[in-house]
Amino acid sequence: IKLSILKGRKNYICKKLVDSFIPSNYSELRVYFKIYKWNLYTKNGDVSEIDLKNEFSIFSKFSAINESCIKRCIDCYVTNARNLAKKSNIILTNHSLAMTSSTTEKSILEDIDLLLIDEAHEIANVATDVFTQKNYLSEFEDNLKSFSNYEDKIKKSVSNSTRFLELFQKSKVILNNYYEELKLLNITFNDLKLKSQGIFKLKIDVNNQYVQSEMMLLKTREARKYLFNLSDIIEMDDLKKLIDNNFVNLISTIENYINKFEIIFNEDDTNMISWLESDNKESIVFISSPISVDTFLKNSIFENQENIILTGATLTSFGSPEEFCSDIGINNLNNYEIFDSEFDYKNNVLLSIPSNMPEPNDPSYTNSLVNLITDLSGKIQEKILVLFTSYSALNSVRKGLKTQNFIGVISQGVDGNAQRVINKFKNQGSVLLGTGPLWQGVDFGADVNIKALIISKLPFSVPNDPLINARSQKYYEPFLEFYVPDAVRKFKQGYGRLIRSKKDFGSLICADSRILTKNYGEEFMNCIPDYSYVQEPVLEISDHIKSWLDNHD
């Protein structure tokens, strides 16, 4: 059996771009030296081989994501990886690449005898990410600056082409004016954000007084016209011999931004929802996402595939398998089978609920959760995972633990990304605070022995999120038919962090009192197949958990 691992183009470097790259600032210079040295000996050109920390945005300037780069390279890392995959019996890849490949490079999924998708409950979320258009204003600005900086070079290189130089200068003016319009939206967004509480997102539609989508669409198309004309002249006048690859790729990159802006500001497609949100700096991100992904999946990853197997531990949480398959674009489900879990939840899971915990929106909630973590950690002397639904809630608890001089806490974000904090957790630390990826999908490994999992808050989606709100509108009773089932699925994925084998045992602590006080709380308690149960006050429940762990056979 020949097995190959396949990754997306953005994961590989382009040798020609490395050779011709000229850094424009210190950050680019630092990354360039790392990549240049690594490129001398790498066999695969895979970015995972090199530690770039948080500088992946700069790596994109060297990556083989640009098609013009791919077509020009003879000895290309991407081509080599694809050729190896064609000779393999088994190709291992992720959901995202399988979808993007099926829309851009049919050859990767052609002649596949069997398409096997594990963790299939995630496929709709991944499809949403893959088919979402996203433009960071700060990155767009950086590319426009690089574009403008080429003027002197162009004057020297193509002095015999007055037409090209004039169009370049006109394009520069149009693009800079376009950016100024976007910057005004940035100022408006920041002003509105200051008046709001929590995460702020601004929906883009024709009725929005702050974002005139029709006007912005016209300005976008004007910018696109000049940029496309510039590309056409390069092709027609055969100027590629005079202009370096970096400039050609830069035009292609800006064209890509403009194309995305057109989708974001165009409201003709009723299945797309667009909005603005913060990028955690003073800048904004323009986003457009599909409300339903069934058609996208049907026309991409599932197209022409006759044999498909979907597997997952929470697929029955979607109602029926037929309903789940219909939502992801499969309308001809032949058969399915539901297997009972092999895990002994009755003896291996202790569901613990603090009886006097305030609700998550109560001002005293964070302090109560800090007390629970501190008391439990001191009593059981075991590894504890605490899952949050937001970074802000995580950071509030982290700061609370810090004020109590708590030692041994590792925090996702502050101490690195999901995989980095898990690696740290293996060797040091007694408490790991996590969110996002740590709820599902990330492998902790058999050597991380978690004995207590605290779910800080029932994982309901934010109702004022434009995409979530648009999806909920398809239901007669959005809260009961959409929000609760979605939160229960996430809850099930969360407690899956505790029991990962027949040998695992531990306590699941739900620190959200709504599981007891609200009618829908029963849905969460019933989603665990079976369990032992304890309900006691915050500062007493740790003793019961310790006793249960000590007496576990």
Side-chain angles (χ1 to χ4, degrees):
I1 293 176
K2 293 180 180 178
L3 170 71
S4 65
I5 297 174
L6 208 53
K7 297 186 178 183
R9 290 176 173 179
K10 66 181 180 181
N11 292 280
Y12 303 95
I13 55 168
C14 171
K15 295 179 181 180
K16 286 192 175 181
L17 286 179
V18 174
D19 290 340
S20 61
F21 187 77
I22 300 175
S24 59
N25 55 52
Y26 178 74
S27 295
E28 289 186 357
L29 182 67
R30 185 175 61 247
V31 174
Y32 172 68
F33 275 125
K34 277 186 183 180
I35 291 175
Y36 184 84
K37 184 178 178 181
W38 165 60
N39 186 44
L40 296 175
Y41 62 82
T42 180
K43 294 181 179 178
N44 301 316
D46 183 347
V47 67
S48 65
E49 298 174 357
I50 184 173
D51 184 12
L52 293 178
K53 296 183 169 57
N54 296 318
E55 298 172 311
F56 284 98
S57 61
I58 298 177
F59 175 79
S60 66
K61 297 177 184 290
F62 306 93
S63 90
I65 190 69
N66 192 292
E67 288 190 31
S68 63
C69 166
I70 296 287
K71 293 171 183 175
R72 292 178 177 199
C73 291
I74 299 172
D75 182 20
C76 172
Y77 292 120
V78 175
T79 304
N80 293 342
R82 299 293 188 264
N83 289 338
L84 184 62
K86 289 177 182 178
K87 298 174 184 176
S88 301
N89 305 103
I90 298 175
I91 300 173
L92 180 63
T93 188
N94 60 17
H95 296 173
S96 178
L97 179 60
M99 290 177 204
T100 53
S101 298
S102 61
T103 57
T104 60
E105 296 175 84
K106 293 290 183 183
S107 59
I108 292 178
L109 287 185
E110 273 183 357
D111 302 322
I112 296 293
D113 298 312
L114 171 64
L115 179 62
L116 172 59
I117 302 175
D118 192 22
E119 302 287 354
H121 64 277
E122 271 294 286
I123 197 167
N125 291 332
V126 176
T128 300
D129 291 339
V130 167
F131 298 108
T132 286
Q133 307 296 329
K134 188 177 291 188
N135 273 346
Y136 288 82
L137 185 58
S138 59
E139 292 179 5
F140 184 59
E141 179 188 15
D142 290 341
N143 281 287
L144 290 187
K145 285 179 180 177
S146 298
F147 181 83
S148 297
N149 290 338
Y150 265 95
E151 184 162 2
D152 289 338
K153 282 186 181 180
I154 288 172
K155 285 179 179 177
K156 294 176 183 177
S157 302
V158 293
S159 55
N160 61 333
S161 179
T162 307
R163 185 170 67 128
F164 177 77
L165 181 58
E166 288 177 351
L167 185 56
F168 169 82
Q169 291 172 332
K170 182 64 176 176
S171 299
K172 187 180 78 169
V173 172
I174 295 293
L175 287 169
N176 286 332
N177 289 342
Y178 180 65
Y179 168 71
E180 290 300 321
E181 293 286 345
L182 298 175
K183 202 159 69 169
L184 289 176
L185 294 181
N186 198 153
I187 294 170
T188 301
F189 177 89
N190 287 337
D191 289 343
L192 293 170
K193 183 183 176 184
L194 287 174
K195 300 173 186 177
S196 68
Q197 292 183 345
I199 296 172
F200 178 67
K201 298 182 180 182
L202 183 62
K203 185 180 175 185
I204 297 173
D205 61 37
V206 70
N207 298 315
N208 192 316
Q209 60 177 314
Y210 303 108
V211 185
Q212 299 297 324
S213 56
E214 286 185 353
M215 180 191 74
M216 289 307 302
L217 182 61
L218 290 174
K219 291 181 180 295
T220 302
R221 286 174 173 167
E222 181 187 24
R224 186 187 66 172
K225 180 182 72 174
Y226 278 93
L227 204 59
F228 282 14
N229 288 343
L230 201 63
S231 295
D232 287 342
I233 289 182
I234 292 175
E235 293 289 342
M236 288 188 302
D237 292 359
D238 200 22
L239 293 171
K240 285 185 178 179
K241 296 175 183 177
L242 303 174
I243 299 173
D244 66 47
N245 282 347
N246 286 314
F247 182 68
V248 175
N249 287 331
L250 181 60
I251 292 177
S252 178
T253 299
I254 297 175
E255 282 181 347
N256 189 38
Y257 275 99
I258 297 296
N259 288 337
K260 287 182 182 179
F261 275 127
E262 182 169 15
I263 293 171
I264 290 165
F265 292 123
N266 191 348
E267 296 186 273
D268 289 345
D269 189 344
T270 56
N271 188 44
M272 299 295 287
I273 184 86
S274 300
W275 69 93
L276 306 178
E277 65 179 55
S278 173
D279 68 350
N280 296 324
K281 301 175 186 175
E282 287 299 311
S283 190
I284 53 175
V285 192
F286 296 80
I287 302 173
S288 186
S289 286
I291 299 171
S292 299
V293 295
D294 54 347
T295 303
F296 288 94
L297 288 168
K298 190 184 298 182
N299 296 334
S300 59
I301 192 170
F302 296 139
E303 187 177 36
N304 300 323
Q305 300 296 337
E306 294 184 1
N307 302 306
I308 305 170
I309 296 177
L310 307 172
T311 68
T314 58
L315 299 186
T316 53
S317 305
F318 289 81
S320 68
E322 290 94 340
E323 182 182 346
F324 165 70
C325 286
S326 176
D327 287 344
I328 63 171
I330 296 179
N331 299 316
N332 57 338
L333 179 66
N334 292 334
N335 55 68
Y336 63 86
E337 189 162 350
I338 299 172
F339 299 90
D340 291 331
S341 173
E342 296 181 347
F343 299 157
D344 184 0
Y345 287 97
K346 178 67 177 177
N347 291 312
N348 290 343
V349 176
L350 173 67
L351 176 59
S352 309
I353 302 179
S355 58
N356 61 340
M357 197 76 183
E359 288 197 1
N361 59 354
D362 190 291
S364 64
Y365 172 78
T366 298
N367 190 52
S368 295
L369 183 54
V370 168
N371 290 336
L372 173 62
I373 295 170
T374 304
D375 190 54
L376 181 62
S377 179
K379 295 280 177 59
I380 67 173
Q381 300 291 304
E382 299 279 1
K383 287 193 179 295
I384 301 170
L385 171 63
V386 190
L387 293 177
F388 296 86
T389 57
S390 69
Y391 277 106
S392 60
L394 184 156
N395 283 321
S396 295
V397 170
R398 179 183 62 82
K399 291 173 183 175
L401 291 170
K402 191 174 180 180
T403 59
Q404 294 195 10
N405 297 317
F406 188 93
I407 299 173
V409 64
I410 297 173
S411 302
Q412 184 182 344
V414 173
D415 295 307
N417 61 22
Q419 199 56 60
R420 189 179 289 268
V421 295
I422 288 173
N423 291 334
K424 285 186 178 181
F425 194 46
K426 289 179 182 179
N427 305 313
Q428 63 190 72
S430 56
V431 175
L432 173 58
L433 310 180
T435 185
L438 293 190
W439 279 84
Q440 58 187 19
V442 177
D443 185 16
F444 277 78
D447 50 346
V448 180
N449 198 6
I450 297 169
K451 284 292 178 279
L453 167 66
I454 300 176
I455 292 183
S456 63
K457 184 179 178 182
L458 297 178
F460 284 102
S461 296
V462 181
N464 61 359
D465 180 281
L467 179 59
I468 297 298
N469 182 264
R471 287 179 171 173
S472 72
Q473 296 307 309
K474 297 188 296 181
Y475 297 86
Y476 180 70
E477 291 188 90
F479 182 74
L480 293 177
E481 295 179 274
F482 176 75
Y483 287 102
V484 171
D486 180 61
V488 169
R489 281 193 291 276
K490 294 174 184 174
F491 188 82
K492 287 181 74 172
Q493 289 294 324
Y495 80 66
R497 307 298 91 194
L498 182 68
I499 306 298
R500 294 160 294 146
S501 73
K502 291 181 181 180
K503 295 179 181 179
D504 286 339
F505 65 93
S507 178
L508 167 63
I509 304 108
C510 181
D512 190 335
S513 61
R514 292 176 298 176
I515 200 170
L516 296 176
T517 60
K518 303 296 183 182
N519 292 335
Y520 57 77
E522 214 172 294
E523 299 280 344
F524 293 89
M525 297 181 74
N526 292 341
C527 77
I528 307 173
D530 207 351
Y531 49 82
S532 300
Y533 180 74
V534 61
Q535 179 184 326
E536 290 180 1
V538 170
L539 296 180
E540 296 175 27
I541 203 165
S542 299
D543 291 320
H544 194 108
I545 293 172
K546 181 183 186 312
S547 176
W548 184 87
L549 291 172
D550 290 344
N551 293 325
H552 192 275
D553 185 8

